Every structure is written in structure tokens, then in C-alpha cells.
Amino acid sequence: MEAAENFIQQAMDMIIQEAVKKGTNVKEKVCEWRSPEQLKELLDLELKDTGESESKILQCCKDAIRYSVKTSHPRFFNQLFAGMEPHSMVASFIIEAIKTSLYTYEVAPVFTLMEDVVLRTMMELIGWEDGGDGLFNPGGSMSNMYAVNLARYNYCPDFKENGIYSSSRLVMLTSQEAHYSISKAAALLGLGTKNVYVVPSDYRGKMIPSALEEKIQLAKSEGAVPFFVNVTAGTTVFGAFDPIEEIADICEKHNLWLHVDACWGGGALMSKKHKHLLNGIQRVNSVAWNLHKMLMATLQCSAFLVRDKT
Ligand code: PLP
């Protein structure tokens, strides 16, 4: 145990120095970029039959950090992560240290209660006065797929038993600026990407409600069944917020499941100044919200929330 403690202590000191201090220092590089060939030369990646000394392992850890992209660096602008949050990082360390899972109360009593409180607070921020349900899952893409799956189940309750053969041609609608995970969900769930009808956006990247209405009519005129609309609150490239209120009116009229992909822009709900961007979110059926983006939690921290508690 003493040896393990000693190794962990040394590793933690190194992590604080290399990943936390240097990784967030504007004077350091975001990444020491190397080609795959160069990196293979620089790093000792091959698995061996013999062990390594702890000092060699610590050096390998240091190199791993050195040649990795520091996404908490102030000059990292690629994915939509927003910097380092020390409390969240410590929480992640605790989770790794006790190595538990969230699937039952029996194995994760504290985290189960915590999850409940956090999800409840998020639902309050969304404005679901009667509450709802939700869970954390591995990424916003997964949340979007859960939304499509639930919407389909809601529309065809016998889908679980009969599979795809029992239903009409189902159509999903989303804007041209939506994240590709919506089409991926159509592919993975067997709906087919051709059945994702793309609704044009305006010059600022917001879905045009009248164009949505037209696409719904088009699907119906073809004998297909529109069942799901995705709006994006904070599109991946433009950061545009689709007009939820107007789209909710259309969905109510046609009895369509409305999902909001607030993976990135959900964080605006925490801001008195910007939360109006999501006006109408309380009317949607489901929400995907990534706390690891604008709210700076460590990866992956993605919530999927659904208004219907049944
Ligand atoms: N939705 C939007 C709008 C996104 O910008 C992203 C990722 O950038 C996702 C969904 C997917 O999230 P994840 O990478 O957690 O799967």
C-alpha cells in the first residue's frame, strides 16, 4: 500500500504541474503537435512481457500529457469545451479512485442521490413545473439518439415487440445546422438518413419555422409519418438558437415530439442575461444538455431529460 500511495502521490504532483499548471498557461503550447510516425518514434507504446520501473512509467505519463492536446488551455478553440473547473476535476478523481458505477443504488448510494438532485435542478431551470425524468449518459450524441428512440416508442408503443416492420415510413425533421448525431441516430435506429428531412436555416443559422411547416406537409403528402422534430439551442458551428416557441406551436399542431439539442447552448439557462435564447424550452418533450461544454464539467457529463415521467 505504501508503494501504491507513493506512486499516486508522485503522479498527482506531476499531473498538477504538467496538465493543470502548464496545460492552462497561455504561454505554453496548446499541443506539441507531431505526426503519427514521429509520435510512434517518440513514445514507447509497444506492450511488453516485462514490467517497467515506476520512474519510467511516470516519464511515460509525462510524455502522454506533453504530446496531448490541452483542451483547457485558454487558446483551445476546437471542440466546445470551456476550460478547467477544479472542483469537477476532483470529483472525477474521486469517481476513479472508488471505481464505482451508477447503475444501482446498491453500488452507488451517494451518486444516485446526487444524480437525482442535479437532474431535478436542471429540470427546474428548464421550467418543467411537474418535473420529469432523466439520466446521465456517455455524450450528447447518445442523448439525441435516446430522444429519437423515445419519440418513436411514444408514437408506436408496439415498436419494441414488432420492430421496424410494423410502422409506416417515419420522418424526422431537423435544421441544416443540426449536429450530425441526429442523422446518426436515424441510421443507428434503422429509420434511415433519407428520412431525416432537412429544414433550411436563415442567414444566422436559425431554423425557419415556415420551412418546417412546409417539410411536414411534404412528408405527409408523400404518405410518410412525421413524428419527431429536433431544434438546436446553440448550433455547433454558428452557435445559433432555433426559435423554440414558434416551433413548439407547429409541433403541437401536428402532434410531433419536440426535442431540443441544447448540448452546447443549455448553459445559457444559467444566465439571467442570455436565458431568453431558450424561451419556450419548457414546452419541449426532451432535452439533451452537455454540462461538459459551456458549464465546464469534466468529460463526459451529458444529461438527457424527458418531461413525461412514465
Ligand atoms: N449537439 C451539439 C449541438 C453539439 O455541438 C455536439 C458536440 O459538439 C453534440 C450534440 C454531441 O455531443 P457529444 O460530443 O457529447 O456526443
Side-chain angles (χ1 to χ4, degrees):
M1 202 59 215
E2 211 175 290
E5 255 181 62
N6 188 27
F7 177 69
I8 294 168
Q9 189 62 59
Q10 286 185 67
M12 288 309 261
D13 291 345
M14 188 275 293
I15 290 168
I16 289 174
Q17 188 58 32
E18 303 297 320
V20 177
K21 284 196 184 155
K22 279 197 198 163
T24 57
N25 183 348
V26 76
K27 294 196 174 118
E28 298 282 342
K29 288 183 175 176
V30 175
C31 176
E32 295 218 18
W33 184 256
R34 298 286 189 280
S35 69
E37 295 72 30
Q38 288 171 322
L39 258 193
K40 279 183 203 158
E41 289 286 316
L42 282 164
L43 303 174
D44 184 6
L45 295 174
E46 291 307 314
L47 298 176
K48 303 182 187 77
D49 290 332
T50 52
E52 295 284 9
S53 68
E54 296 211 328
S55 58
K56 172 86 192 289
I57 295 172
L58 282 171
Q59 185 55 45
C60 290
C61 295
K62 203 169 161 182
D63 289 343
I65 296 173
R66 178 170 176 196
Y67 295 111
S68 290
V69 179
K70 270 59 118 203
T71 70
S72 296
H73 190 282
R75 296 220 165 110
F76 175 82
F77 298 114
N78 192 348
Q79 277 74 20
L80 307 175
F81 315 142
M84 186 171 285
E85 207 297 309
H87 307 91
S88 179
M89 191 167 64
V90 168
S92 289
F93 288 161
I94 293 173
I95 290 166
E96 300 306 331
I98 57 178
K99 203 174 167 183
T100 189
S101 163
L102 257 183
Y103 33 58
T104 57
Y105 182 83
E106 190 183 31
V107 76
V110 178
F111 297 144
T112 303
L113 297 181
M114 266 184 198
E115 181 182 40
D116 211 35
V117 173
V118 176
L119 291 173
R120 201 160 4 101
T121 308
M122 293 174 82
M123 289 185 274
E124 278 165 21
L125 287 161
I126 289 169
W128 288 342
E129 283 170 3
D130 298 328
D133 205 343
L135 79 168
F136 283 94
N137 66 68
S141 301
M142 186 69 89
S143 299
N144 287 338
M145 189 169 75
Y146 284 160
V148 178
N149 191 47
L150 277 187
R152 180 171 66 178
Y153 183 61
N154 183 59
Y155 190 79
C156 324
D158 61 354
F159 199 94
K160 271 193 195 173
E161 288 77 33
N162 296 335
I164 201 147
Y165 306 105
S166 67
S167 69
S168 325
R169 180 164 73 88
L170 299 175
V171 163
M172 301 161 50
L173 299 109
T174 192
S175 89
Q176 66 187 57
E177 298 300 330
H179 190 259
Y180 65 85
S181 54
I182 299 294
S183 293
K184 191 162 77 173
L188 285 169
L189 295 171
L191 291 161
T193 51
K194 280 189 180 164
N195 295 313
V196 180
Y197 283 25
V198 177
V199 181
S201 303
D202 66 15
Y203 74 101
R204 294 170 70 193
K206 294 164 181 275
M207 186 194 278
I208 303 169
S210 59
L212 171 67
E213 178 74 52
E214 280 167 24
K215 291 278 179 180
I216 294 169
Q217 297 299 352
L218 172 69
K220 287 187 175 177
S221 71
E222 294 167 346
V225 180
F227 76 108
F228 173 90
V229 173
N230 171 66
V231 290
T232 313
T235 58
T236 314
V237 178
F238 282 123
F241 288 74
D242 289 339
I244 302 178
E245 288 282 17
E246 286 165 86
I247 292 168
D249 288 344
I250 296 173
C251 290
E252 268 170 29
K253 184 173 129 197
H254 294 281
N255 192 26
L256 303 176
W257 182 286
L258 178 56
H259 170 69
V260 55
D261 175 355
C263 280
W264 178 62
L269 286 171
M270 312 286 286
S271 153
K272 286 196 182 105
K273 188 171 164 195
H274 298 295
K275 67 178 177 196
H276 68 91
L277 292 166
L278 294 110
N279 276 354
I281 190 171
Q282 75 286 354
R283 295 173 65 187
V284 311
N285 298 89
S286 54
V287 177
W289 184 354
N290 278 4
L291 306 187
H292 64 242
K293 294 196 192 300
M294 214 188 294
L295 293 182
M296 296 168 79
T298 46
L299 287 165
Q300 291 270 1
C301 191
S302 301
F304 173 65
L305 303 142
V306 59
R307 186 150 54 106
D308 182 345
K309 283 183 263 194
T310 64

